[in-house]
Amino acid sequence: TLNDVTFHYNGNHQEVLTDLSLQINQGSVTAILGANGAGKSTLLHLILGWLRPGEGQIELQGRPLQSYSRREAGQIVALVPQTEHMPFDYTVLEYVLLGRTPYLNPLEMPRQSDMDVAFSALETAGLHELTYRNVTSLSGGERQLVLLARALTQQPKMILLDEPTAHLDLANKARLMQIIRRLNSSGSTIIFTTHEPEAAIAVASHIILIRDGAILKSGSSDDVLTTEYLTAAYGSPVRVVRVDGHRVALWS
């Protein structure tokens, strides 16, 4: 839950987010949708706790977000970033095992139970054949799926994904959508940012449409993903039509 949240970066007095209030329900798939620069990633990092609001409050499961230790938060919330620098020649398995950090003591080695969780996450992400490959040898799309597998290895209740389809080809986009549906059906809460209406249409039950750091419209996918609201959000004509029974966003 976010209550009257306002945020600006240090040294920049212009507000990135202004008087933002919203509630994301447990078990939902929520898409934060808007043009580049609208404030989507900033909102995601506030929910994660990486950034603190200048004004207002954020609560997670009824508790102030800042009251959680990093270890506690890491067992509840996981992030799949857009990109991440991978400086060492970790194998895919070693990299994915970093997701077990919130469950291990300092310098403690992963146990067999941690290994089992990692293998399961790799299987879910469709990466079992890459388990012992070096991460530096992977394609951009494969690396994105490795980041997802690491997040799954945290066994979080909530998964945040920042522009998850940005570096994926069509086949891997379809695979990611299937994984999101499967995770949600098993009880995970999913929140993802995107500038692609098609990704939101495909999996989201709830939409938060952002323009210039404020909520333009929020609600169900049917209510928000309309010609009127998408055109207003992107500042460019967008038509939402049905093709073979499915909604499609067309740019004019």
Coordinates of all heavy atoms in Angstrom, one line a residue, residues 144-236:
Q144 N 18.4 -12.6 -19.0 CA 17.2 -12.1 -18.4 C 16.5 -13.2 -17.7 O 16.0 -13.1 -16.6 CB 16.3 -11.5 -19.5 CG 15.1 -10.7 -18.9 CD 15.5 -9.4 -18.3 OE1 16.7 -9.0 -18.4 NE2 14.6 -8.8 -17.5
L145 N 16.5 -14.4 -18.3 CA 15.8 -15.6 -17.7 C 16.6 -16.1 -16.5 O 16.0 -16.6 -15.5 CB 15.6 -16.7 -18.7 CG 14.6 -16.4 -19.8 CD1 14.6 -17.4 -20.9 CD2 13.2 -16.2 -19.2
V146 N 17.9 -15.9 -16.5 CA 18.7 -16.2 -15.3 C 18.4 -15.3 -14.1 O 18.3 -15.7 -13.0 CB 20.3 -16.1 -15.7 CG1 21.1 -16.2 -14.4 CG2 20.7 -17.2 -16.6
L147 N 18.2 -14.0 -14.4 CA 17.8 -13.1 -13.4 C 16.4 -13.5 -12.8 O 16.2 -13.4 -11.6 CB 17.7 -11.7 -13.9 CG 19.0 -11.0 -14.4 CD1 18.8 -9.7 -15.0 CD2 20.0 -10.9 -13.2
L148 N 15.5 -14.0 -13.6 CA 14.2 -14.5 -13.1 C 14.4 -15.7 -12.3 O 13.8 -15.8 -11.2 CB 13.3 -14.8 -14.3 CG 12.0 -15.5 -14.0 CD1 11.1 -14.6 -13.1 CD2 11.3 -15.9 -15.2
A149 N 15.3 -16.6 -12.7 CA 15.5 -17.8 -11.9 C 16.2 -17.5 -10.5 O 15.8 -18.1 -9.5 CB 16.5 -18.8 -12.7
R150 N 17.1 -16.5 -10.5 CA 17.6 -16.1 -9.2 C 16.5 -15.5 -8.3 O 16.5 -15.8 -7.1 CB 18.7 -15.0 -9.4 CG 19.4 -14.6 -8.1 CD 20.4 -13.5 -8.3 NE 19.6 -12.3 -8.7 CZ 20.2 -11.1 -9.0 NH1 21.6 -11.0 -9.0 NH2 19.6 -10.1 -9.4
A151 N 15.6 -14.8 -8.9 CA 14.5 -14.2 -8.1 C 13.6 -15.4 -7.5 O 13.2 -15.3 -6.4 CB 13.7 -13.2 -8.9
L152 N 13.4 -16.4 -8.4 CA 12.5 -17.5 -7.9 C 13.2 -18.3 -6.8 O 12.6 -18.8 -5.9 CB 12.2 -18.4 -9.1 CG 11.4 -17.8 -10.3 CD1 11.2 -18.8 -11.3 CD2 10.1 -17.3 -9.8
T153 N 14.6 -18.3 -6.8 CA 15.3 -19.0 -5.8 C 15.2 -18.4 -4.4 O 15.4 -19.0 -3.4 CB 16.8 -19.1 -6.2 OG1 16.9 -19.7 -7.5 CG2 17.6 -19.9 -5.3
Q154 N 14.8 -17.1 -4.4 CA 14.5 -16.5 -3.1 C 13.2 -17.0 -2.5 O 12.9 -16.7 -1.4 CB 14.4 -14.9 -3.3 CG 15.7 -14.2 -3.5 CD 15.5 -12.7 -3.7 OE1 16.0 -12.2 -4.7 NE2 14.9 -12.1 -2.7
Q155 N 12.4 -17.7 -3.3 CA 11.0 -18.1 -2.9 C 10.2 -17.0 -2.3 O 9.7 -17.1 -1.2 CB 11.2 -19.3 -1.8 CG 11.8 -20.5 -2.4 CD 11.9 -21.7 -1.4 OE1 12.5 -21.5 -0.4 NE2 11.3 -22.8 -1.8
P156 N 10.1 -15.9 -3.0 CA 9.4 -14.7 -2.5 C 7.9 -14.9 -2.6 O 7.4 -15.7 -3.4 CB 9.9 -13.6 -3.4 CG 10.1 -14.3 -4.7 CD 10.6 -15.7 -4.4
K157 N 7.2 -14.1 -1.8 CA 5.7 -14.0 -2.0 C 5.3 -13.0 -3.1 O 4.3 -13.1 -3.7 CB 5.1 -13.6 -0.7 CG 5.3 -14.6 0.5 CD 4.7 -14.1 1.7 CE 4.9 -15.1 2.9 NZ 4.3 -14.6 4.2
M158 N 6.2 -12.1 -3.3 CA 6.0 -11.0 -4.3 C 7.2 -10.9 -5.2 O 8.3 -10.8 -4.8 CB 5.7 -9.7 -3.6 CG 5.5 -8.5 -4.6 SD 5.4 -6.9 -3.7 CE 3.9 -7.2 -2.7
I159 N 7.0 -10.9 -6.6 CA 8.0 -10.8 -7.5 C 7.8 -9.5 -8.3 O 6.8 -9.2 -8.9 CB 8.1 -12.0 -8.5 CG1 8.2 -13.3 -7.7 CG2 9.2 -11.8 -9.5 CD1 8.1 -14.5 -8.5
L160 N 8.9 -8.6 -8.3 CA 8.8 -7.4 -9.1 C 9.7 -7.5 -10.3 O 10.8 -8.0 -10.2 CB 9.4 -6.2 -8.2 CG 8.8 -6.1 -6.8 CD1 9.5 -4.9 -6.1 CD2 7.3 -5.9 -6.8
L161 N 9.2 -7.2 -11.5 CA 9.9 -7.3 -12.7 C 9.9 -5.9 -13.4 O 8.9 -5.3 -13.7 CB 9.3 -8.3 -13.7 CG 9.1 -9.8 -13.1 CD1 7.7 -10.0 -12.6 CD2 9.5 -10.8 -14.2
D162 N 11.1 -5.5 -13.7 CA 11.3 -4.2 -14.4 C 11.5 -4.4 -15.9 O 12.5 -4.9 -16.3 CB 12.5 -3.4 -13.8 CG 12.5 -1.9 -14.1 OD1 11.5 -1.5 -14.8 OD2 13.5 -1.3 -13.8
E163 N 10.5 -4.0 -16.7 CA 10.5 -4.1 -18.1 C 11.0 -5.5 -18.5 O 12.0 -5.7 -19.2 CB 11.4 -3.1 -18.8 CG 11.0 -1.6 -18.5 CD 9.8 -1.2 -19.4 OE1 9.4 -2.0 -20.3 OE2 9.4 -0.1 -19.3
P164 N 10.3 -6.6 -18.1 CA 10.8 -8.0 -18.2 C 10.9 -8.4 -19.7 O 11.7 -9.4 -20.0 CB 9.8 -8.8 -17.4 CG 8.6 -8.0 -17.4 CD 9.0 -6.6 -17.4
T165 N 10.1 -7.9 -20.6 CA 10.2 -8.3 -22.0 C 11.1 -7.5 -22.9 O 11.2 -7.8 -24.0 CB 8.7 -8.3 -22.6 OG1 8.3 -6.9 -22.5 CG2 7.8 -9.1 -21.8
A166 N 11.8 -6.5 -22.3 CA 12.6 -5.6 -23.1 C 13.6 -6.3 -23.9 O 13.9 -5.8 -25.1 CB 13.2 -4.5 -22.2
H167 N 14.3 -7.3 -23.4 CA 15.4 -7.9 -24.2 C 15.1 -9.3 -24.7 O 16.0 -10.1 -25.0 CB 16.6 -8.0 -23.2 CG 17.0 -6.7 -22.6 ND1 17.6 -5.7 -23.4 CD2 16.9 -6.2 -21.4 CE1 17.8 -4.6 -22.6 NE2 17.4 -4.9 -21.4
L168 N 13.8 -9.6 -24.8 CA 13.4 -11.0 -25.1 C 12.9 -11.0 -26.6 O 12.2 -10.1 -27.0 CB 12.4 -11.5 -24.2 CG 12.8 -11.6 -22.7 CD1 11.6 -12.2 -21.9 CD2 14.0 -12.5 -22.5
D169 N 13.2 -12.1 -27.3 CA 12.6 -12.3 -28.6 C 11.1 -12.9 -28.4 O 10.7 -13.1 -27.2 CB 13.4 -13.3 -29.4 CG 13.6 -14.7 -28.8 OD1 12.8 -15.1 -27.9 OD2 14.6 -15.3 -29.1
L170 N 10.4 -13.1 -29.4 CA 9.0 -13.5 -29.3 C 8.8 -14.8 -28.6 O 7.9 -14.9 -27.7 CB 8.4 -13.5 -30.7 CG 8.1 -12.2 -31.4 CD1 7.6 -12.4 -32.8 CD2 7.2 -11.3 -30.6
A171 N 9.7 -15.7 -28.8 CA 9.5 -17.1 -28.2 C 9.7 -16.9 -26.7 O 9.0 -17.5 -25.9 CB 10.5 -18.1 -28.8
N172 N 10.8 -16.2 -26.3 CA 11.0 -16.0 -24.9 C 10.0 -15.1 -24.2 O 9.8 -15.3 -23.0 CB 12.5 -15.5 -24.6 CG 13.5 -16.6 -24.7 OD1 13.2 -17.8 -24.3 ND2 14.6 -16.3 -25.3
K173 N 9.5 -14.2 -24.9 CA 8.4 -13.4 -24.3 C 7.2 -14.3 -24.0 O 6.6 -14.2 -22.9 CB 7.9 -12.3 -25.3 CG 8.8 -11.1 -25.4 CD 8.3 -10.0 -26.3 CE 9.2 -8.8 -26.4 NZ 8.6 -7.7 -27.2
A174 N 6.9 -15.2 -24.9 CA 5.7 -16.1 -24.7 C 6.0 -17.0 -23.5 O 5.2 -17.3 -22.7 CB 5.5 -16.9 -26.0
R175 N 7.3 -17.5 -23.4 CA 7.7 -18.3 -22.3 C 7.5 -17.5 -21.0 O 7.0 -18.1 -20.0 CB 9.1 -18.8 -22.4 CG 9.6 -19.7 -21.3 CD 11.1 -19.9 -21.2 NE 11.6 -20.5 -22.4 CZ 12.9 -20.9 -22.6 NH1 13.8 -20.6 -21.6 NH2 13.3 -21.5 -23.7
L176 N 8.0 -16.3 -21.0 CA 7.9 -15.5 -19.7 C 6.4 -15.3 -19.3 O 6.1 -15.4 -18.1 CB 8.6 -14.1 -20.0 CG 8.5 -13.1 -18.7 CD1 9.3 -13.7 -17.6 CD2 9.0 -11.8 -19.1
M177 N 5.6 -15.0 -20.3 CA 4.1 -14.8 -20.0 C 3.6 -16.1 -19.3 O 2.8 -16.1 -18.4 CB 3.4 -14.5 -21.2 CG 3.7 -13.1 -21.8 SD 3.4 -11.7 -20.8 CE 5.1 -11.3 -20.3
Q178 N 4.0 -17.3 -19.9 CA 3.5 -18.5 -19.3 C 4.0 -18.7 -17.9 O 3.3 -19.2 -17.0 CB 4.0 -19.7 -20.2 CG 3.4 -19.7 -21.5 CD 4.0 -20.8 -22.5 OE1 5.0 -21.4 -22.1 NE2 3.4 -21.0 -23.6
I179 N 5.3 -18.3 -17.6 CA 5.9 -18.5 -16.3 C 5.1 -17.6 -15.3 O 4.8 -18.0 -14.2 CB 7.4 -18.1 -16.3 CG1 8.1 -19.2 -17.1 CG2 7.9 -18.0 -14.9 CD1 9.6 -18.8 -17.4
I180 N 4.8 -16.3 -15.7 CA 4.1 -15.4 -14.8 C 2.7 -16.0 -14.5 O 2.3 -15.9 -13.3 CB 4.0 -14.0 -15.5 CG1 5.3 -13.3 -15.5 CG2 2.9 -13.2 -14.8 CD1 5.3 -12.0 -16.2
R181 N 2.0 -16.5 -15.5 CA 0.7 -17.1 -15.2 C 0.9 -18.3 -14.2 O 0.1 -18.4 -13.3 CB 0.1 -17.6 -16.5 CG -0.3 -16.5 -17.4 CD -1.2 -17.1 -18.6 NE -1.3 -16.1 -19.7 CZ -0.6 -16.1 -20.8 NH1 0.4 -17.0 -21.0 NH2 -0.8 -15.1 -21.7
R182 N 1.9 -19.1 -14.4 CA 2.1 -20.3 -13.6 C 2.4 -19.8 -12.1 O 1.9 -20.4 -11.2 CB 3.2 -21.1 -14.1 CG 3.3 -22.6 -13.5 CD 4.4 -23.3 -14.1 NE 4.5 -23.2 -15.6 CZ 5.6 -23.1 -16.2 NH1 6.8 -23.1 -15.6 NH2 5.6 -22.9 -17.6
L183 N 3.3 -18.9 -12.0 CA 3.6 -18.4 -10.6 C 2.4 -17.8 -9.9 O 2.2 -18.0 -8.8 CB 4.7 -17.3 -10.8 CG 6.1 -17.8 -11.2 CD1 7.0 -16.6 -11.5 CD2 6.7 -18.7 -10.2
N184 N 1.6 -17.0 -10.7 CA 0.5 -16.4 -10.1 C -0.6 -17.5 -9.7 O -1.2 -17.4 -8.6 CB -0.2 -15.4 -11.1 CG -1.4 -14.7 -10.5 OD1 -2.5 -14.9 -11.1 ND2 -1.2 -14.0 -9.5
S185 N -0.7 -18.5 -10.5 CA -1.7 -19.6 -10.1 C -1.2 -20.3 -8.9 O -2.1 -20.9 -8.2 CB -1.9 -20.5 -11.3 OG -0.7 -21.3 -11.6
S186 N 0.1 -20.3 -8.6 CA 0.6 -20.9 -7.4 C 0.6 -20.0 -6.2 O 1.0 -20.4 -5.1 CB 2.0 -21.5 -7.6 OG 2.9 -20.5 -7.8
G187 N 0.1 -18.8 -6.3 CA -0.1 -17.8 -5.2 C 0.8 -16.6 -5.2 O 0.7 -15.8 -4.3
S188 N 1.7 -16.5 -6.1 CA 2.7 -15.4 -6.1 C 2.0 -14.1 -6.5 O 1.1 -14.1 -7.4 CB 3.9 -15.6 -7.0 OG 4.6 -16.7 -6.6
T189 N 2.3 -13.0 -5.9 CA 1.9 -11.7 -6.3 C 2.9 -11.2 -7.3 O 4.1 -11.2 -7.0 CB 1.8 -10.7 -5.1 OG1 0.9 -11.3 -4.2 CG2 1.3 -9.3 -5.6
I190 N 2.5 -10.7 -8.5 CA 3.4 -10.3 -9.5 C 3.2 -8.8 -9.8 O 2.0 -8.4 -10.0 CB 3.2 -11.1 -10.8 CG1 3.2 -12.6 -10.6 CG2 4.3 -10.6 -11.8 CD1 4.6 -13.1 -10.1
I191 N 4.2 -8.0 -9.8 CA 4.2 -6.6 -10.2 C 5.2 -6.4 -11.3 O 6.4 -6.7 -11.0 CB 4.4 -5.6 -9.0 CG1 3.4 -5.9 -7.9 CG2 4.2 -4.2 -9.5 CD1 3.8 -5.2 -6.6
F192 N 4.8 -5.9 -12.4 CA 5.9 -5.6 -13.5 C 5.6 -4.3 -14.2 O 4.5 -3.8 -14.3 CB 5.9 -6.7 -14.5 CG 4.7 -6.9 -15.4 CD1 4.7 -6.4 -16.7 CD2 3.6 -7.6 -15.0 CE1 3.7 -6.5 -17.5 CE2 2.6 -7.8 -15.8 CZ 2.6 -7.3 -17.1
T193 N 6.7 -3.6 -14.5 CA 6.6 -2.4 -15.3 C 6.7 -2.8 -16.8 O 7.4 -3.7 -17.1 CB 7.7 -1.4 -15.0 OG1 9.0 -1.9 -15.3 CG2 7.7 -1.1 -13.5
T194 N 6.1 -2.0 -17.6 CA 6.3 -2.2 -19.1 C 5.8 -0.9 -19.8 O 5.0 -0.2 -19.3 CB 5.4 -3.4 -19.5 OG1 5.7 -3.6 -20.9 CG2 4.0 -3.2 -19.3
H195 N 6.3 -0.7 -21.0 CA 5.8 0.3 -21.9 C 5.1 -0.3 -23.0 O 4.6 0.3 -24.0 CB 6.9 1.2 -22.4 CG 8.0 0.5 -23.2 ND1 9.1 0.0 -22.6 CD2 8.1 0.3 -24.5 CE1 9.8 -0.6 -23.6 NE2 9.2 -0.4 -24.7
E196 N 4.9 -1.7 -23.0 CA 4.3 -2.4 -24.0 C 2.8 -2.8 -23.6 O 2.7 -3.7 -22.7 CB 5.1 -3.7 -24.3 CG 6.5 -3.4 -24.8 CD 7.2 -4.7 -25.1 OE1 6.6 -5.8 -25.2 OE2 8.5 -4.7 -25.2
P197 N 1.8 -2.2 -24.1 CA 0.4 -2.6 -23.8 C 0.2 -4.1 -24.0 O -0.6 -4.7 -23.2 CB -0.4 -1.7 -24.7 CG 0.4 -0.5 -25.0 CD 1.8 -1.1 -25.1
E198 N 0.8 -4.7 -25.0 CA 0.5 -6.1 -25.3 C 0.9 -7.0 -24.1 O 0.2 -8.0 -23.8 CB 1.3 -6.5 -26.5 CG 0.8 -5.9 -27.8 CD 1.3 -4.5 -28.0 OE1 2.2 -4.0 -27.2 OE2 0.9 -3.8 -29.0
A199 N 2.0 -6.7 -23.4 CA 2.5 -7.5 -22.3 C 1.4 -7.4 -21.1 O 1.1 -8.3 -20.5 CB 3.8 -7.0 -21.8
A200 N 0.9 -6.1 -20.9 CA -0.1 -5.9 -19.9 C -1.4 -6.7 -20.2 O -2.0 -7.3 -19.4 CB -0.3 -4.4 -19.7
I201 N -1.8 -6.6 -21.5 CA -3.0 -7.3 -21.9 C -2.9 -8.8 -21.7 O -3.8 -9.4 -21.3 CB -3.3 -6.9 -23.4 CG1 -3.7 -5.5 -23.6 CG2 -4.4 -7.8 -24.0 CD1 -3.8 -5.0 -25.0
A202 N -1.7 -9.3 -22.0 CA -1.5 -10.8 -22.0 C -1.7 -11.4 -20.6 O -2.2 -12.5 -20.5 CB -0.1 -11.1 -22.5
V203 N -1.2 -10.7 -19.5 CA -1.2 -11.4 -18.2 C -1.8 -10.6 -17.0 O -2.1 -11.2 -16.0 CB 0.2 -11.8 -17.8 CG1 0.7 -12.9 -18.8 CG2 1.2 -10.7 -17.8
A204 N -1.9 -9.3 -17.2 CA -2.2 -8.5 -16.0 C -3.7 -8.5 -15.7 O -4.6 -8.3 -16.6 CB -1.8 -7.1 -16.1
S205 N -4.1 -8.7 -14.4 CA -5.5 -8.5 -13.9 C -5.7 -7.1 -13.5 O -6.9 -6.7 -13.5 CB -5.7 -9.5 -12.8 OG -4.8 -9.3 -11.7
H206 N -4.7 -6.4 -13.1 CA -4.9 -5.0 -12.6 C -3.8 -4.1 -13.3 O -2.7 -4.6 -13.5 CB -4.7 -5.0 -11.1 CG -5.0 -3.6 -10.5 ND1 -6.3 -3.3 -10.2 CD2 -4.3 -2.6 -10.2 CE1 -6.4 -2.1 -9.7 NE2 -5.1 -1.6 -9.7
I207 N -4.2 -2.9 -13.7 CA -3.3 -2.0 -14.4 C -3.2 -0.7 -13.6 O -4.2 -0.2 -13.1 CB -3.9 -1.7 -15.8 CG1 -4.2 -3.0 -16.6 CG2 -2.9 -0.8 -16.6 CD1 -3.0 -3.8 -17.0
I208 N -2.0 -0.2 -13.5 CA -1.7 1.1 -13.0 C -1.1 1.9 -14.2 O 0.0 1.6 -14.6 CB -0.8 1.1 -11.8 CG1 -1.4 0.3 -10.7 CG2 -0.5 2.5 -11.3 CD1 -0.4 0.0 -9.5
L209 N -1.9 2.9 -14.7 CA -1.4 3.6 -15.8 C -0.8 5.0 -15.3 O -1.5 5.7 -14.7 CB -2.6 3.9 -16.8 CG -2.3 4.3 -18.2 CD1 -1.4 3.4 -18.9 CD2 -3.6 4.5 -19.0
I210 N 0.5 5.2 -15.6 CA 1.2 6.4 -15.1 C 1.5 7.3 -16.3 O 1.9 6.9 -17.3 CB 2.5 5.9 -14.4 CG1 2.1 5.2 -13.1 CG2 3.3 7.1 -14.1 CD1 3.3 4.8 -12.3
R211 N 1.3 8.6 -16.0 CA 1.8 9.7 -16.9 C 2.4 10.8 -16.1 O 1.8 11.3 -15.1 CB 0.6 10.2 -17.7 CG 1.0 11.3 -18.7 CD -0.2 11.8 -19.5 NE -1.2 12.5 -18.6 CZ -2.4 12.9 -19.0 NH1 -2.8 12.8 -20.2 NH2 -3.2 13.5 -18.1
D212 N 3.6 11.1 -16.4 CA 4.3 12.3 -15.7 C 4.3 12.1 -14.2 O 4.1 13.1 -13.5 CB 3.7 13.6 -16.1 CG 3.8 13.9 -17.6 OD1 4.8 13.4 -18.2 OD2 2.9 14.5 -18.2
G213 N 4.6 10.9 -13.7 CA 4.7 10.7 -12.3 C 3.4 10.7 -11.5 O 3.5 10.7 -10.2
A214 N 2.3 10.6 -12.1 CA 1.0 10.5 -11.4 C 0.2 9.4 -12.0 O 0.4 9.0 -13.2 CB 0.3 11.9 -11.5
I215 N -0.7 8.9 -11.2 CA -1.6 7.9 -11.7 C -2.7 8.5 -12.6 O -3.5 9.3 -12.2 CB -2.3 7.1 -10.6 CG1 -1.2 6.3 -9.8 CG2 -3.3 6.1 -11.1 CD1 -1.7 5.6 -8.6
L216 N -2.7 8.1 -13.9 CA -3.7 8.5 -14.8 C -5.0 7.8 -14.6 O -6.1 8.3 -14.6 CB -3.2 8.4 -16.2 CG -4.2 8.7 -17.4 CD1 -4.6 10.2 -17.3 CD2 -3.6 8.3 -18.7
K217 N -4.8 6.4 -14.4 CA -6.0 5.6 -14.2 C -5.5 4.2 -13.7 O -4.4 3.8 -14.0 CB -6.7 5.3 -15.6 CG -7.9 4.4 -15.5 CD -9.1 5.1 -14.9 CE -10.4 4.2 -15.0 NZ -11.5 4.8 -14.3
S218 N -6.3 3.7 -12.7 CA -5.9 2.3 -12.3 C -7.2 1.5 -12.2 O -8.3 2.1 -12.0 CB -5.2 2.3 -10.9 OG -6.1 2.8 -9.9
G219 N -7.1 0.2 -12.3 CA -8.3 -0.6 -12.3 C -8.1 -1.9 -13.0 O -6.9 -2.3 -13.3
S220 N -9.2 -2.5 -13.4 CA -9.0 -3.8 -14.2 C -8.5 -3.5 -15.6 O -8.6 -2.4 -16.1 CB -10.4 -4.5 -14.3 OG -11.3 -3.8 -15.1
S221 N -8.0 -4.6 -16.1 CA -7.4 -4.5 -17.5 C -8.5 -4.0 -18.5 O -8.2 -3.1 -19.3 CB -6.9 -5.9 -17.9 OG -6.4 -5.8 -19.3
D222 N -9.7 -4.5 -18.4 CA -10.8 -4.0 -19.3 C -11.1 -2.6 -19.2 O -11.4 -1.9 -20.2 CB -12.0 -4.9 -19.1 CG -11.9 -6.3 -19.6 OD1 -11.0 -6.5 -20.5 OD2 -12.7 -7.2 -19.1
D223 N -11.0 -2.1 -17.9 CA -11.4 -0.7 -17.7 C -10.3 0.3 -18.1 O -10.6 1.5 -18.5 CB -11.7 -0.4 -16.2 CG -13.0 -1.1 -15.8 OD1 -13.8 -1.4 -16.7 OD2 -13.2 -1.3 -14.6
V224 N -9.0 -0.1 -18.0 CA -7.9 0.8 -18.1 C -7.3 0.8 -19.5 O -6.9 1.8 -20.1 CB -6.8 0.6 -17.1 CG1 -5.6 1.5 -17.3 CG2 -7.4 0.7 -15.7
L225 N -7.2 -0.4 -20.1 CA -6.5 -0.6 -21.4 C -7.5 -0.3 -22.5 O -8.0 -1.2 -23.2 CB -5.9 -1.9 -21.5 CG -4.8 -2.2 -20.5 CD1 -4.2 -3.6 -20.7 CD2 -3.7 -1.2 -20.6
T226 N -7.8 1.0 -22.7 CA -8.8 1.4 -23.7 C -8.1 2.4 -24.6 O -7.0 3.0 -24.3 CB -10.0 2.1 -23.0 OG1 -9.6 3.3 -22.4 CG2 -10.7 1.2 -22.0
T227 N -8.7 2.7 -25.7 CA -8.2 3.7 -26.7 C -8.0 5.0 -26.0 O -6.9 5.7 -26.2 CB -9.1 3.8 -27.9 OG1 -9.2 2.6 -28.6 CG2 -8.7 4.9 -28.8
E228 N -9.0 5.4 -25.2 CA -8.9 6.8 -24.6 C -7.7 6.9 -23.6 O -7.0 7.8 -23.7 CB -10.2 7.0 -23.8 CG -10.2 8.3 -23.0 CD -11.5 8.4 -22.1 OE1 -12.3 7.5 -22.1 OE2 -11.5 9.4 -21.4
Y229 N -7.6 6.0 -22.7 CA -6.6 6.1 -21.7 C -5.2 5.8 -22.2 O -4.2 6.5 -21.8 CB -6.9 5.1 -20.5 CG -8.1 5.6 -19.7 CD1 -9.2 4.8 -19.5 CD2 -8.1 6.8 -19.1 CE1 -10.3 5.2 -18.8 CE2 -9.2 7.3 -18.4 CZ -10.3 6.4 -18.2 OH -11.4 6.8 -17.5
L230 N -5.0 4.9 -23.1 CA -3.7 4.7 -23.7 C -3.2 5.8 -24.5 O -2.0 6.2 -24.5 CB -3.6 3.4 -24.5 CG -3.7 2.1 -23.7 CD1 -3.7 0.9 -24.6 CD2 -2.6 2.0 -22.7
T231 N -4.1 6.4 -25.3 CA -3.8 7.6 -26.0 C -3.3 8.8 -25.1 O -2.3 9.5 -25.4 CB -4.9 8.1 -26.9 OG1 -5.2 7.1 -27.9 CG2 -4.6 9.4 -27.6
A232 N -4.0 8.9 -24.0 CA -3.7 10.0 -23.1 C -2.3 9.7 -22.4 O -1.5 10.6 -22.2 CB -4.8 10.1 -22.0
A233 N -2.1 8.4 -22.1 CA -0.8 8.1 -21.4 C 0.4 8.3 -22.2 O 1.5 8.7 -21.8 CB -0.9 6.6 -20.9
Y234 N 0.3 7.9 -23.5 CA 1.5 8.0 -24.4 C 1.6 9.3 -25.2 O 2.6 9.5 -25.9 CB 1.4 6.7 -25.3 CG 1.8 5.5 -24.6 CD1 0.7 4.6 -24.2 CD2 3.1 5.1 -24.4 CE1 1.0 3.5 -23.5 CE2 3.3 3.9 -23.7 CZ 2.3 3.1 -23.3 OH 2.6 1.9 -22.6
G235 N 0.5 10.1 -25.2 CA 0.6 11.3 -25.9 C 0.6 11.1 -27.4 O 1.1 11.9 -28.2
S236 N 0.1 9.9 -27.8 CA 0.1 9.6 -29.3 C -1.1 8.7 -29.5 O -1.5 7.9 -28.6 CB 1.4 8.8 -29.6 OG 1.5 8.4 -30.9

